[in-house]
Amino acid sequence: MINANLQKKVSGSDWLVNVVSDCLQLPADKIDRDVPLVRYGLDSLGAVRLITAISAELQRDVPDALLLYHPDIHSLELFIRASREKKSGVAAQPSQVPVQLDQMLADSILPEDIRPDPGAHRASPAKSLLLTGATGFLGAYLLRALLRDTPADIYCFARRSESNPQTRIRCNLEHYGIWKQEFESRVHVVEGDLQKPNLGISRHEFETLARDIDEIYHCGASVNWVFPYSGLRDTNVIGTREMLRLACSVKPKSFHFVSTMATCYSSNRRDEVTEQDDMLPYLDSIHLGYAQSKCVAESLVRRASERGLPATIHRPSLISGDGTTGFSNEDDLLSNMIRGCIQMGSTPDLDWVLDCCPVDYAADAIVGLSRQTDDSLRVFHLANPVSRHWREFVLWINLFGFPLQLVPYRDWLAEMRTAAATPQHPLYRLRSFFLAKPSADTDLTLPELYEEHRCNPISQTHTQQLLLELPLACPHLDAKLLDRYFTSFIERQVLPNVTSPEKERPLGQRDLNAEFFQNVLRRHYDDDLMQVDGLTLLHDNSKESITTELTSWQYGNSAGLWKYRVDFGGNRKDLPRSQELFVKVKPLDQDVLVVSEKVAAMCDDKVGQAFARHKHRLGITGSHVREISVYRQEDLRFQSHVPEVIAAIGNESVQQWVLVLESLSQLELLDSANDVSGWRPAHMEAAIGGIAQIHSIWYQREQELSEKSWLGPKMSSSSMSEMTDLWESLADYSWKYFSKWVDPDTQPLVAELIADVGQWWRTLEQMPHTLVHNDFNPRNIAFRNQDGQLRLCAYDWELAAPGIPQHDLAELLCFVLPSDCSLSLVRHYVELHRIALSQASGRSIETDSWRLGFQLALRDLILNRLPMYCLMQTFRPQPFLPRVVRTWRRLHDLLSDDLQK
């Protein structure tokens, strides 16, 4: 709401000028009607206050993006006049953003007088560095990195103000907890103005600075997600031009420019953008004003480099908080988005991918990469190599303790306009960002243009190779890092406190130490003298499953898959020097259920409610005990087709459930679900023959199998019928994905299968059962190759259950066969499995009944397995899923026609 003083000004004859004067805190006679208001310092908050005042004067709504289209007083007056002439209805809509392409292209031309002297000497190593932006977030960490990693004195360029700039810079670093007293003597200040010629300093000061400075890091910029190019031009473009002028004056100075990854996103480009690509030719399809200004500034740096100036361009993605302390900029886009959505209790359901770089890593990378370069222009892409989908991020926030509902974007916009109506709301100043439609060619808003399926891919291959040489690794945007950020938010009272789950479980990664492995290996090899001298964590696979990762984080254990190298001591010739091992720490079933139930509820209310009712029937209950027990089987038919088990530890009293297995890295087709092009007929035959051997152990021994306490309840036709509400809600939800991959008649087909589930399942449950893997696909199987002979190695047995053996075959064929496979090929593999199981079990198996069982197994997959993948797809892409669903439909049609003949 506007205050009384502001409302009083609105009623005067020059009400608009007076309102603008109040928002800018400038005398009215100092404001030119034709100059964009952002040049006077109008920020996002002031812009929304101005729009609110105009709306109140006109007594009707005006577009939140008004200032994007009418950036100065003169154009605002024209809009208001047109609105007043309307007799009723909403105020006149603004025209689209004025075409600024000519202005941007003109600005991209570097003046001829900005040219380094090719004969001038360049100081090396640099003794004095100039840094802009030290009073900002990334700039503060850049200052620390330069002070830590170089011996140079740092001159910080800061705008003139009433406060002491040296104090501002020190207080900024203190605010983030990175100031050290020894920095004081090496930090100097140069006061000026980026928007003015010669940086707003005298000619003498400019020449002195040009003589004394050896290198420039230009990080200073106006970072704004709302303003158009015209509002950011003076600081981001003219400022860069004048810094280049300084870099070329007296002597050439290496110039390191901090740009943004946003320059790489073009709505007209679909191929990958590499570090070598100049995005200026795509300027007309880069819609964010901030990105446009940085793209034009990049062009100026490129031209300077072509004239002989050593230069680098650094394109970081969104900057997130400190990877060590969790301290973040509480007033940036992402922080305001998080705070605002938590206040609303809802968040937009957008196809965004977050690849944020922790600020300390980004600063260290910029400094490290800038020290490696030669005189040619080098461009670097800095993004988190482990990105997260926005929905996955929202899921994590829910598990942290802040309830958030995913809402369709346009519905959420309506909620946001009402909720963020006052300046106190974190999203108030971002309303224009969410509501603006920057292109006349589309009805899409800016956030929709940045959805993953509309963005061209970006490569950072070259940059990552150089970072490995530093060496410098980006902290993964995982649950532990997010926990650090939110804990910092709460400690600083940016977010309210919440009650988080207890994070005290006996087994943590610290327990996977040399003593642990020594005890395990001594028992396995029956050798009390075995000595472990060294231990190296080679790989952490714990984040490859969203459920495992979030369970591990929420309950503070080390659930997941870890690869270690164990080094042995002594001079014993009967032992290798080292051995690689996989350690699988099982999450407790109750923990997995909590995370799974939250996943289901966030996807869809009906799915969540049905999942909660039937969760103990889905094979998750007892899964931590089950896999340990399955691996303890001593039958050679099983042991020959699974990883070698070094230890299977199950201790209910201390809640430790751990498998230590041989390393699987040497196996063929490991984790090949996303790309099955390497599968050959020999692999199919080995997989089918191997699983038939395992199936033969418990085939037609249902009574004995049912007595195993570690098995979950056997599904029956009655239980399947009782779960109809779950199958129906899953089918409805998954259709939004399936509809893109298969014919429309698949939906009624699945509905019919659900309606008749009690009938056809009754037939299925009367067929011979065995212990099935129940997740038998290229995600969980690989192959040993011994002298050209392939042998199955199946792992991840936590979902093992009583079932018909055709279930495992049906799932395997859905994953591996192409969607245009022939009936003869399918018949071949179905028959191969029947014959192999018959021979291994010594039992006769009738052909027609076996084929019918295969068809029924396919029906079961479309009810309770493939739709479950869609729940995961919502939060983390499952690249194999479209192919698998298409092949399922093909197999179903082939078998249905075949059985009817």
Side-chain angles (χ1 to χ4, degrees):
M1 298 295 291
I2 56 176
N3 59 39
N5 183 48
L6 188 56
Q7 183 65 60
K8 181 179 178 180
K9 289 183 178 182
V10 168
S11 62
S13 58
D14 291 327
W15 68 274
L16 181 58
V17 175
N18 290 328
V19 170
V20 171
S21 172
D22 188 273
C23 291
L24 292 175
Q25 295 295 300
L26 283 176
D29 60 0
K30 299 292 186 182
I31 304 172
D32 190 317
R33 291 175 182 267
D34 295 315
V35 173
L37 299 178
V38 290
R39 295 192 188 181
Y40 294 106
L42 183 70
D43 60 14
S44 303
L45 185 59
V48 178
R49 288 183 64 231
L50 176 56
I51 291 169
T52 303
I54 294 172
S55 178
E57 168 65 14
L58 295 174
Q59 297 183 352
R60 65 189 72 183
D61 289 337
V62 297
D64 285 272
L66 180 66
L67 291 177
L68 296 184
Y69 312 117
H70 303 282
D72 53 53
I73 292 177
H74 178 71
S75 59
L76 281 172
E77 287 175 333
L78 294 177
F79 168 76
I80 292 166
R81 185 181 307 153
S83 297
R84 280 177 168 160
E85 290 173 356
K86 287 177 67 76
K87 294 181 179 180
S88 62
V90 178
Q93 295 296 312
S95 58
Q96 292 295 326
V97 178
V99 177
Q100 304 178 60
L101 184 59
D102 291 344
Q103 176 70 67
M104 290 188 282
L105 292 176
D107 290 342
S108 69
I109 300 172
L110 188 68
E112 280 299 320
D113 62 325
I114 300 180
R115 184 182 297 273
D117 182 353
H121 172 72
R122 179 158 58 96
S124 181
K127 297 179 180 179
S128 300
L129 308 178
L130 181 69
L131 170 66
T132 67
T135 56
F137 186 44
L138 176 58
Y141 280 83
L142 271 175
L143 177 56
R144 181 185 71 166
L146 290 169
L147 289 165
R148 183 194 61 210
D149 298 342
T150 76
D153 279 6
I154 314 298
Y155 289 78
C156 297
F157 189 87
R159 71 178 184 276
R160 291 189 177 89
S161 68
E162 295 180 1
S163 61
N164 184 301
Q166 187 97 18
T167 302
R168 290 206 317 272
I169 292 168
R170 185 185 69 250
C171 288
N172 190 42
L173 270 68
E174 287 176 344
H175 177 68
Y176 298 119
I178 58 175
W179 175 260
K180 292 184 179 181
Q181 193 56 43
E182 57 263 32
F183 291 168
E184 189 81 44
S185 62
R186 293 173 55 203
V187 176
H188 314 278
V189 174
V190 177
E191 292 187 86
D193 190 339
L194 284 175
Q195 299 183 8
K196 295 182 179 179
N198 289 332
L199 303 172
I201 59 180
S202 69
R203 186 63 190 171
H204 173 72
E205 291 173 316
F206 188 89
E207 291 177 353
T208 301
L209 191 62
R211 182 179 64 251
D212 294 344
I213 295 299
D214 303 318
E215 203 163 343
I216 297 174
Y217 285 80
H218 184 33
C219 180
S222 177
V223 181
N224 192 294
W225 296 87
V226 174
F227 290 169
Y229 174 83
S230 59
L232 302 169
R233 172 181 180 269
D234 287 358
T235 298
N236 295 354
V237 178
I238 303 305
T240 302
R241 184 191 71 194
E242 294 307 301
M243 274 294 161
L244 287 169
R245 188 184 303 279
L246 178 69
C248 292
S249 298
V250 181
K251 61 183 179 184
K253 306 160 191 66
S254 294
F255 190 86
H256 309 293
F257 178 61
V258 180
S259 183
T260 171
M261 191 77 81
T263 62
C264 299
Y265 293 116
S266 161
S267 59
N268 288 344
R269 178 166 178 163
R270 288 293 172 264
D271 59 322
E272 186 176 66
V273 175
T274 70
E275 290 96 334
Q276 289 74 37
D277 288 333
D278 181 359
M279 293 303 293
L280 190 68
Y282 300 92
L283 190 56
D284 61 339
S285 57
I286 297 174
H287 300 291
L288 186 67
Y290 174 64
Q292 292 169 344
S293 69
K294 283 294 189 176
C295 185
V296 172
E298 280 190 16
S299 182
L300 296 176
V301 178
R302 288 179 181 276
R303 302 295 86 78
S305 173
E306 291 170 359
R307 296 175 187 180
L309 185 71
T312 62
I313 295 174
H314 304 262
R315 294 170 171 167
S317 61
L318 276 177
I319 300 296
S320 59
D322 190 312
T324 302
T325 68
F327 209 112
S328 57
N329 180 4
E330 61 198 56
D331 199 36
D332 64 8
L333 174 71
L334 190 57
S335 295
N336 279 309
M337 182 76 176
I338 292 168
R339 292 163 57 211
C341 288
I342 287 174
Q343 285 190 26
M344 291 175 61
S346 65
T347 182
D349 188 3
L350 286 164
D351 183 26
W352 280 350
V353 170
L354 301 178
D355 54 2
C356 311
C357 283
V359 64
D360 49 333
Y361 163 80
D364 293 348
I366 290 169
V367 172
L369 292 168
S370 70
R371 315 314 290 174
Q372 285 192 336
T373 59
D374 52 30
D375 288 350
S376 61
L377 176 70
R378 304 284 289 278
V379 181
F380 305 107
H381 287 171
L382 295 172
N384 202 309
V386 179
S387 59
R388 296 288 166 167
H389 197 281
W390 171 251
R391 298 187 192 101
E392 186 178 350
F393 181 50
V394 174
L395 170 62
W396 182 89
I397 295 175
N398 271 275
L399 290 169
F400 190 88
F402 294 108
L404 280 181
Q405 183 180 8
L406 281 167
V407 177
Y409 183 60
R410 296 303 171 106
D411 295 339
W412 181 85
L413 283 182
E415 291 182 18
M416 186 271 295
R417 294 190 68 161
T418 302
T422 63
Q424 290 73 34
H425 198 281
L427 295 176
Y428 182 74
R429 65 185 66 189
L430 291 173
R431 285 162 56 107
S432 295
F433 170 72
F434 288 109
L435 296 166
K437 298 176 181 177
S439 174
D441 300 328
T442 177
D443 189 48
L444 298 174
T445 62
L446 273 170
E448 290 170 303
L449 286 171
Y450 281 95
E451 290 189 285
E452 176 70 3
H453 62 278
R454 294 190 179 96
C455 289
N456 49 271
I458 299 174
S459 169
Q460 52 175 327
T461 303
H462 176 65
T463 305
Q464 286 298 314
Q465 290 173 347
L466 292 175
L467 288 170
L468 289 175
E469 298 173 8
L470 285 179
L472 189 60
C474 181
H476 291 177
L477 194 62
D478 57 16
K480 293 179 181 178
L481 181 60
L482 295 175
D483 187 289
R484 214 167 293 145
Y485 289 158
F486 273 66
T487 300
S488 176
F489 275 144
I490 292 171
E491 289 173 348
R492 290 180 284 139
Q493 298 183 333
V494 176
L495 290 175
N497 202 357
V498 292
T499 301
S500 297
E502 181 184 354
K503 296 189 178 182
E504 290 295 332
R505 291 292 162 92
L507 186 68
Q509 191 182 353
R510 64 183 180 276
D511 299 307
L512 300 178
N513 51 30
E515 181 181 0
F516 169 84
F517 282 97
Q518 183 167 281
N519 292 335
V520 163
L521 291 167
R522 282 180 175 181
R523 287 194 296 269
H524 179 70
Y525 290 109
D526 194 20
D527 184 349
D528 292 338
L529 299 179
M530 178 173 286
Q531 187 72 32
V532 173
D533 275 2
L535 185 67
T536 305
L537 176 62
L538 299 177
H539 189 61
D540 170 10
N541 292 77
S542 63
K543 301 177 182 64
E544 294 184 5
S545 162
I546 182 174
T547 305
T548 300
E549 180 190 357
L550 293 177
T551 302
S552 175
W553 158 76
Q554 188 166 39
Y555 296 102
N557 56 39
S558 292
L561 188 65
W562 312 81
K563 182 180 179 181
Y564 285 89
R565 186 183 67 241
V566 180
D567 298 319
F568 300 109
N571 296 316
R572 295 177 51 183
K573 296 182 180 179
D574 58 331
L575 284 178
R577 288 182 175 272
S578 63
Q579 183 175 358
E580 292 185 1
L581 298 172
F582 274 3
V583 180
K584 185 175 185 179
V585 182
K586 299 292 299 177
L588 299 184
D589 57 354
Q590 64 195 44
D591 300 345
V592 176
L593 281 170
V594 170
V595 174
S596 300
E597 191 171 347
K598 180 62 71 174
V599 167
M602 285 192 63
C603 287
D604 180 79
D605 287 341
K606 290 183 179 179
V607 172
Q609 293 166 9
F611 189 98
R613 281 192 292 272
H614 304 295
K615 60 186 177 183
H616 293 297
R617 290 173 159 178
L618 296 174
I620 300 173
T621 301
S623 57
H624 63 297
V625 179
R626 186 179 309 125
E627 184 167 28
I628 301 293
S629 301
V630 169
Y631 271 112
R632 285 175 173 168
Q633 294 182 98
E634 296 180 353
D635 193 298
L636 288 178
R637 288 171 290 180
F638 178 79
Q639 292 184 348
S640 298
H641 296 96
V642 299
E644 180 186 3
V645 180
I646 309 300
I649 303 168
N651 191 325
E652 186 70 47
S653 62
V654 295
Q655 295 184 336
Q656 284 189 359
W657 307 92
V658 185
L659 285 166
V660 182
L661 308 172
E662 64 167 312
S663 171
L664 307 181
S665 301
Q666 76 281 3
L667 300 185
E668 285 187 16
L669 297 179
L670 185 69
D671 294 330
S672 61
N674 293 336
D675 181 7
V676 295
S677 60
W679 279 71
R680 301 288 181 264
H683 295 106
M684 292 293 297
E685 293 168 5
I688 293 171
I691 198 62
Q693 288 285 321
I694 296 174
H695 287 158
S696 70
I697 299 171
W698 295 100
Y699 188 60
Q700 294 190 4
R701 295 170 60 194
E702 289 91 336
Q703 182 59 41
E704 294 175 72
L705 187 60
S706 66
E707 295 171 358
K708 299 296 181 181
S709 60
W710 41 266
L711 273 183
K714 178 183 176 181
M715 296 297 289
S716 65
S717 57
S718 59
S719 60
M720 288 294 291
S721 296
E722 291 166 3
M723 297 171 69
T724 296
D725 58 334
L726 178 59
W727 312 139
E728 288 177 341
S729 59
L730 282 171
D732 290 343
Y733 183 76
S734 60
W735 183 245
K736 74 176 186 178
Y737 296 108
F738 288 1
S739 61
K740 304 173 186 176
W741 308 327
V742 290
D743 292 337
D745 63 348
T746 304
Q747 188 176 29
L749 166 62
V750 174
E752 183 179 353
L753 294 178
I754 295 172
D756 297 338
V757 65
Q759 180 178 346
W760 60 263
W761 191 271
R762 192 172 298 111
T763 303
L764 184 150
E765 69 181 335
Q766 293 171 357
M767 292 179 170
H769 280 50
T770 185
L771 179 69
V772 297
H773 185 283
N774 206 26
D775 202 10
F776 192 67
N777 61 66
R779 298 166 61 244
N780 304 312
I781 59 179
F783 299 92
R784 305 180 193 279
N785 191 331
Q786 298 173 321
D787 300 324
Q789 296 296 311
L790 295 173
R791 181 154 50 92
L792 171 71
C793 183
Y795 47 94
D796 286 357
W797 286 83
E798 57 261 29
L799 295 180
I804 62 172
Q806 297 96 315
H807 184 284
D808 284 340
L809 177 65
E811 185 165 4
L812 176 67
L813 297 190
C814 284
F815 269 80
V816 178
L817 294 187
S819 59
D820 61 350
C821 57
S822 66
L823 177 60
S824 61
L825 182 64
V826 177
R827 279 178 174 175
H828 168 71
Y829 287 131
V830 171
E831 184 67 3
L832 182 66
H833 188 208
R834 184 189 70 81
I835 293 172
L837 179 56
S838 178
Q839 291 175 345
S841 64
R843 298 175 183 272
S844 176
I845 303 174
E846 198 271 326
T847 301
D848 290 341
S849 175
W850 182 259
R851 288 183 180 178
L852 176 60
F854 181 81
Q855 184 194 43
L856 297 180
L858 283 172
R859 293 181 179 183
D860 183 46
L861 284 175
I862 201 63
L863 260 64
N864 68 12
R865 179 53 52 83
L866 301 188
M868 290 292 186
Y869 283 127
C870 289
L871 302 186
M872 295 296 105
Q873 172 84 7
T874 300
F875 300 98
R876 185 179 291 180
Q878 309 291 307
F880 58 81
L881 191 53
R883 183 190 75 244
V884 172
V885 172
R886 293 188 188 103
T887 299
W888 176 89
R889 181 60 201 262
R890 176 66 172 176
L891 293 176
H892 177 274
D893 291 349
L894 288 176
L895 268 293
S896 296
D897 294 343
D898 191 40
L899 290 173
Q900 290 174 5
K901 293 178 181 179

